[in-house]
Amino acid sequence: MFRTALRNVLAHKARLLMTVLAVMLGVAFVSGTLVFTNTISDALQNSSAKGFDHVDVAVTPEFQKAEGDKVGEEPELTQALVDDSARVPGAASAIGVVSGFTAVADKDGDLIGDGWSTKGGNYWGEKDPRYPLTDGRAPKGEGEILIDSRTAERTGYGVGDTVRMSVDGPVISPKVVGVFTTDDGGVAAGGSLTLFDTATAQKVFGKAGTYDEIDVEAKAGVTQAALKAELDKALPKDLVETTTGEKLADDQAEAIAASMSGMKQGLLVFAGIALFVGTFIIANTFTMLVAQRTKELALMRAVGASRRQVTRSVLIEAFVVGVVAAVTGLLAGIGIGAGMRALMSSMGQVVPDGPLVVSTGTIVAALAVGVLVTMLAAWLPGRRAAKIPPVAAMSSVHATATTKSLVLRNTLGALVSAAGIAVVLAATTMGGTDGQAPMGLGAVLLIIGVFILTPLLSRPLIAAAAPVLRVFGVSGKLARQNSVRNPRRTAATASALMIGLTLITGMTVMAGSLQKSIDKMASAAIEADYVVSMANGNYLSPDVGEKLGGTDGVTAISPLRNSAARIDGDTEYLTGVNGSTIAGLTDLKVEQGAFEVGGTKVVVDGDTAKEKGWKAGSDFTVAYEDGEKQRLTVAGVYEGNDMLSGIMLDNSVLTPHMTDPVDMQVMVKMSDGASSAAKDSLQQALDTNPAIKIQDKKDISNEVAKMFTMMLNMLYGLLAMAVIVAVLGVINTLAMSVFERSQEIGMLRAIGLDRKGIKRMVRLESLVISLFGGVLGIGLGVFFGWAAGELMGSTIATYELVLPWGRMGVFLLLAAAVGVLAALWPARRAARLNMLQAIKAE
């Protein structure tokens, strides 16, 4: 039986090629994902670990929890604590660390990095062991900085150059006096690091005389644990906490692994989809191969082979195919992993240097996935072949499915589909995250149910194409009949394409609907012409609002400030606004009272008012962050949203109680509305600052849309894998169908159907099957997009379903193109059959 199985593999090399390709693509995707994420994760972890080489113990402030009317606060790390840390037994040195956001412009005036990884810090003394200098000297005074070597290389800056940069808004132009090297992971990933002398760093980052962290290095022979114990004895326990460098490195490694796991899981989901689609091809292939060898298998049964041996011979074939596919897929996956890292680099996403990581786990996973998927998909056809009685099998090559089996299949499919629909509909009535798991379960059940029902659905849907197929005469009629002749095979072929298009359509519907909701939210909440904010979401200096207020053409302005406070024993965040202008800069729906802010009058969003039991006219006492209390009155209750919400009061009331007044953003109204000239005037007022974003409502909406568009484009690229596998499935099915119908095709040629007619017949058959899968996929995708929208609508008040008719039309054309392309080789093969040899073929 083993020799027979190997002989069958070698005898059907061409037919098994599509199966090998399908499995290989899925395995390549799995192994490529593992290689890519492991490589990036390993490089980031190695780079991060190097960053802790000079940190044996880190001292950080311990956040003091809010109690009573006292707002939670963070203790300050003073110079005295740095000196105390340096004097403990076992300490060689102690460095005070200051850090913050710095935005550096390149020579074209554009922001270096992406805004989130552009950091600043302090250079300790004349020779900081953390940052070895490659050129120049240590910085002194406010007009001097150091830049990292990667930034210097990317921008062309060197010692002596003047750099335009910003910390919290206003532009400064310090001079580069040195270049240093660093193992900082953010810099390795494409960011930048700018260093000031310690006094300047404390000043520009608003931390006069204090530090964010104290890094202590141990003397030779002193362990990190021993140094930590000494620091714990010497420093105030209620104000600071100590952590060893090893623990910091381990925590950082865990954080990197956790951040990479999301990407890894997302990519593996799509790899799983490709493999899931591939199982249909494998099952189809082995079903047809077994059906073509029914007489042979029956003869083997008659001469003594058991059912188990017949099944085992089919599984041995599958094992050989799986091993070949898994090995080639693994090799291709290693190439994909290397290619993805190179692609990130070409897109400007710099990743740390490091070797390509091909772990034992990756190799085992690739081989296991390839072999198991192939053998599982081949098990059912093998078992079905073994159950056919030898006498019945030798009398007929093709054993047709019984009516009873189809009834059972349709009943099961209807029950599973109904259960899936019920669970999805139930999930739409749940709120936010509560409905996500039921929604996923219902979607899986419905897809499985529709797959089971596909043979039943194929007849009416393909019959609907009959009027169009009649235009093609005999070829069209034969194509329709061939499409429904074996509904199981048609269903399995169409289902592969259906799954891919279901996901693509569902994602497109969701993205389009979310974009519409963001547009509505922006237009509904903001009447200001522009919203000014920092590129990385950090706070703005109050100087920005003052400069904008004095700009020609500005008619109204309101900085938005944020401050923690205590109300009824809970911590709440107050939003300071310009009370005289905020009503004209926003367009929030007032539910109660009036939108009036000034003095002790405030406005509150509906959710907060409901939670606190407030209404228009209610009074409450607030304890500000400086500890002072005041009685405030709710003048109005408004409908909040993701852009604007909370308790708004006048800045003249809030600011005196803030330790460090800074703005989240600034709303600006122009006399002539939003225009390129107005935007230019605001940019010039801010010295064309690279760190500051000046956005109108359309810019805000487009920024959010950009994230959806990027995600959607990634999904299209990933799902293309499933579509490619589906194409292979259609080619495979048609090729085997042509082989099975060799005698029939020869007879058609003999009675007058020419080669063009044969080609047309096969192409139309492929087109009908592909469009059938496309219609099912788009229909299911719209349903899932609607259901997911209902779930999101519970948290996004402006959500509105948008059906992208144009894109859905493109998807249907894509399905048609799949059918046409997949039929090229099988149609050509069918047309070239020798009619006499085909007629006498068995």
Side-chain angles (χ1 to χ4, degrees):
M1 296 301 294
F2 181 74
R3 287 197 301 270
T4 302
L6 291 180
R7 186 204 66 193
N8 287 328
V9 170
L10 296 174
H12 302 113
K13 292 189 293 289
R15 293 179 222 166
L16 290 170
L17 177 62
M18 297 300 175
T19 298
V20 171
L21 285 173
V23 180
M24 185 199 77
L25 285 172
V27 171
F29 209 163
V30 170
S31 53
T33 295
L34 295 174
V35 168
F36 171 68
T37 52
N38 288 343
T39 297
I40 300 299
S41 180
D42 186 70
L44 287 173
Q45 287 177 15
N46 289 338
S47 175
S48 173
K50 289 178 183 177
F52 295 108
D53 285 348
H54 297 283
V55 183
D56 288 312
V57 179
V59 181
T60 53
E62 185 168 355
F63 188 79
Q64 307 295 297
K65 295 181 180 178
E67 293 181 3
D69 293 331
K70 184 182 178 183
V71 176
E73 60 183 5
E74 196 169 77
E76 294 180 339
L77 299 181
T78 61
Q79 183 62 43
L81 284 173
V82 177
D83 296 338
D84 290 343
S85 300
R87 284 194 293 264
V88 302
S93 64
I95 294 175
V97 178
V98 186
S99 59
F101 168 71
T102 57
V104 181
D106 61 20
K107 291 185 177 181
D108 295 325
D110 297 324
L111 178 65
I112 298 171
D114 57 7
W116 296 97
S117 56
T118 50
K119 298 184 296 184
N122 66 311
Y123 189 83
W124 189 259
E126 291 294 323
K127 189 174 182 182
D128 193 327
R130 299 171 299 168
Y131 307 115
L133 290 173
T134 59
D135 192 14
R137 58 171 176 82
K140 297 176 182 178
E142 295 184 18
E144 297 183 350
I145 60 167
L146 304 179
I147 60 172
D148 67 89
S149 56
R150 288 176 185 262
T151 298
E153 184 180 343
R154 288 198 301 267
T155 61
Y157 286 136
V159 174
D161 289 336
T162 299
V163 175
R164 294 182 72 254
M165 61 179 293
S166 170
V167 173
D168 60 358
V171 173
I172 56 177
S173 301
K175 182 180 178 181
V176 177
V177 296
V179 177
F180 63 92
T181 59
T182 177
D183 293 311
D184 186 284
V187 174
S192 65
L193 179 60
T194 307
L195 301 179
F196 305 86
D197 68 76
T198 298
T200 301
Q202 289 174 327
K203 180 180 178 180
V204 298
F205 296 133
K207 299 165 185 174
T210 65
Y211 301 94
D212 296 303
E213 184 179 307
I214 301 171
D215 292 343
V216 187
E217 191 168 4
K219 290 179 179 177
V222 178
T223 65
Q224 292 187 355
L227 179 60
K228 181 181 184 300
E230 293 294 338
L231 286 166
D232 287 339
K233 291 178 188 176
L235 303 179
K237 294 180 181 178
D238 57 334
L239 296 180
V240 301
E241 58 180 334
T242 58
T243 312
T244 64
E246 290 176 358
K247 179 70 164 56
L248 289 173
D250 291 342
D251 290 346
Q252 186 76 0
E254 285 182 17
I256 291 170
S259 66
M260 294 301 295
S261 71
M263 179 191 295
K264 182 185 291 186
Q265 289 171 7
L267 292 171
L268 287 176
V269 164
F270 292 100
I273 292 167
L275 283 167
F276 182 57
V277 172
T279 57
F280 295 126
I281 300 174
I282 300 163
N284 247 4
T285 302
F286 279 95
T287 298
M288 287 183 275
L289 285 174
V290 168
Q292 291 164 12
R293 301 206 315 269
T294 306
K295 277 188 177 181
E296 175 190 329
L297 294 174
L299 185 59
M300 291 167 65
R301 287 285 313 281
V303 297
S306 65
R307 286 185 178 184
R308 187 173 295 177
Q309 285 180 308
V310 170
T311 305
R312 195 181 300 148
S313 71
V314 175
L315 290 178
I316 290 171
E317 289 183 54
F319 176 79
V320 173
V321 170
V323 168
V324 172
V327 171
T328 54
L330 174 62
L331 295 175
I334 294 170
I336 289 173
M340 288 174 75
R341 186 168 70 167
L343 180 63
M344 283 186 69
S345 299
S346 67
M347 294 172 65
Q349 301 294 318
V350 182
V351 296
D353 297 328
L356 202 65
V357 178
V358 184
S359 66
T360 304
T362 299
I363 296 170
V364 171
L367 294 175
V369 165
V371 174
L372 287 177
V373 166
T374 308
M375 291 185 70
L376 285 174
W379 174 76
L380 190 59
R383 184 170 173 271
R384 190 182 298 141
K387 290 174 69 175
I388 301 173
V391 175
M394 282 193 280
S395 63
S396 175
V397 174
H398 305 293
T400 59
T402 62
T403 304
K404 180 181 177 181
S405 68
L406 287 174
V407 170
L408 182 64
R409 175 171 180 151
N410 294 337
T411 304
L412 179 62
L415 290 173
V416 175
S417 298
I421 292 171
V423 174
V424 168
L425 292 178
T428 60
T429 62
M430 301 177 184
T433 54
D434 293 338
Q436 290 179 2
M439 180 76 72
L441 174 62
V444 171
L445 287 174
L446 183 52
I447 288 177
I448 292 172
V450 170
F451 167 65
I452 296 171
L453 279 176
T454 311
L456 179 67
L457 297 173
S458 65
R459 291 186 179 277
L461 287 177
I462 291 175
V468 178
L469 292 174
R470 287 197 194 100
V471 175
F472 298 96
V474 174
S475 297
K477 184 178 180 180
L478 290 170
R480 185 183 68 80
Q481 291 174 349
N482 290 333
S483 300
V484 296
R485 176 186 294 180
N486 191 332
R488 288 175 185 268
R489 186 190 305 155
T490 298
T493 305
S495 294
L497 193 58
M498 176 192 79
I499 293 169
L501 287 179
T502 295
L503 293 166
I504 290 174
T505 305
M507 294 292 182
T508 304
V509 170
M510 287 169 58
S513 301
L514 282 170
Q515 176 60 53
K516 182 72 173 179
S517 69
I518 298 298
D519 288 344
K520 287 177 67 176
M521 189 184 296
S523 60
I526 301 172
E527 274 293 310
D529 294 315
Y530 292 102
V531 175
V532 180
S533 60
M534 291 292 281
N536 72 329
N538 272 13
Y539 291 117
L540 286 163
S541 165
D543 295 347
V544 173
E546 293 173 10
K547 284 187 177 182
L548 292 172
T551 304
D552 291 339
V554 174
T555 57
I557 190 169
S558 176
L560 271 65
R561 290 177 185 167
N562 198 281
S563 176
R566 296 287 285 177
I567 301 173
D568 298 332
D570 297 325
T571 299
E572 300 287 346
Y573 285 88
L574 308 176
T575 301
V577 297
N578 188 331
S580 61
T581 61
I582 190 64
L585 294 169
T586 58
D587 188 20
L588 298 166
K589 181 181 177 183
V590 179
E591 297 175 342
Q592 295 177 33
F595 198 91
E596 186 178 349
V597 181
T600 59
K601 291 183 178 180
V602 302
V603 292
V604 184
D605 71 280
D607 290 341
T608 303
K610 184 178 179 180
E611 180 187 341
K612 298 290 185 183
W614 296 338
K615 58 183 179 180
S618 296
D619 293 327
F620 63 93
T621 301
V622 60
Y624 296 107
E625 67 176 76
D626 63 355
E628 291 193 24
K629 296 182 181 180
Q630 188 173 20
R631 195 76 177 163
L632 302 176
T633 302
V634 177
V637 178
Y638 66 92
E639 185 180 298
N641 56 46
D642 289 344
M643 292 190 173
L644 290 171
S645 62
I647 303 169
M648 294 187 193
L649 71 163
D650 196 277
N651 273 324
S652 63
V653 176
L654 178 64
T655 304
H657 301 288
M658 296 178 68
T659 306
D660 183 23
V662 287
D663 299 330
M664 296 181 292
Q665 56 188 32
V666 180
M667 290 184 170
V668 181
K669 189 83 171 176
M670 306 295 293
S671 57
D672 297 325
S675 66
S676 57
K679 191 170 184 176
D680 287 342
S681 68
L682 295 179
Q683 287 176 332
Q684 288 171 11
L686 298 175
D687 300 323
T688 318
N689 194 320
I692 294 180
K693 295 187 296 186
I694 301 174
Q695 299 174 298
D696 59 20
K697 286 185 280 190
K698 187 176 181 182
D699 292 332
I700 294 171
S701 179
N702 288 342
E703 185 175 50
V704 179
K706 194 182 294 182
M707 291 187 292
F708 290 125
T709 303
M710 185 183 302
M711 181 179 69
L712 202 59
N713 288 338
M714 285 180 63
L715 293 177
Y716 286 162
L718 295 171
L719 289 170
M721 182 72 72
V723 175
I724 291 170
V725 175
V727 171
L728 294 175
V730 178
I731 295 172
N732 204 25
T733 299
L734 288 174
M736 293 199 171
S737 179
V738 167
F739 178 81
E740 279 185 0
R741 303 200 317 258
S742 296
Q743 196 173 51
E744 175 189 320
I745 291 170
M747 187 65 72
L748 289 171
R749 288 289 316 283
I751 61 175
L753 191 62
D754 60 11
R755 289 187 173 181
K756 285 186 179 179
I758 295 292
K759 283 184 181 180
R760 191 181 301 121
M761 176 187 74
V762 176
R763 286 172 185 162
L764 290 173
E765 180 183 347
S766 175
L767 184 63
V768 167
I769 292 173
S770 297
L771 286 175
F772 168 55
V775 169
L776 282 181
I778 291 170
L780 282 174
V782 169
F783 176 71
F784 290 140
W786 166 82
E790 290 294 303
L791 195 62
M792 289 186 290
S794 62
T795 55
I796 304 176
T798 54
Y799 187 85
E800 177 185 335
L801 180 67
V802 175
L803 294 180
W805 295 106
R807 290 205 177 188
M808 288 194 293
V810 171
F811 297 156
L812 202 58
L813 288 175
L814 173 65
V818 166
V820 172
L821 290 172
L824 290 177
W825 178 65
R828 178 181 173 84
R829 186 168 180 269
R832 295 178 66 183
L833 283 175
N834 184 296
M835 68 179 77
L836 294 178
Q837 290 180 355
I839 289 172
K840 68 179 182 180
E842 292 187 4

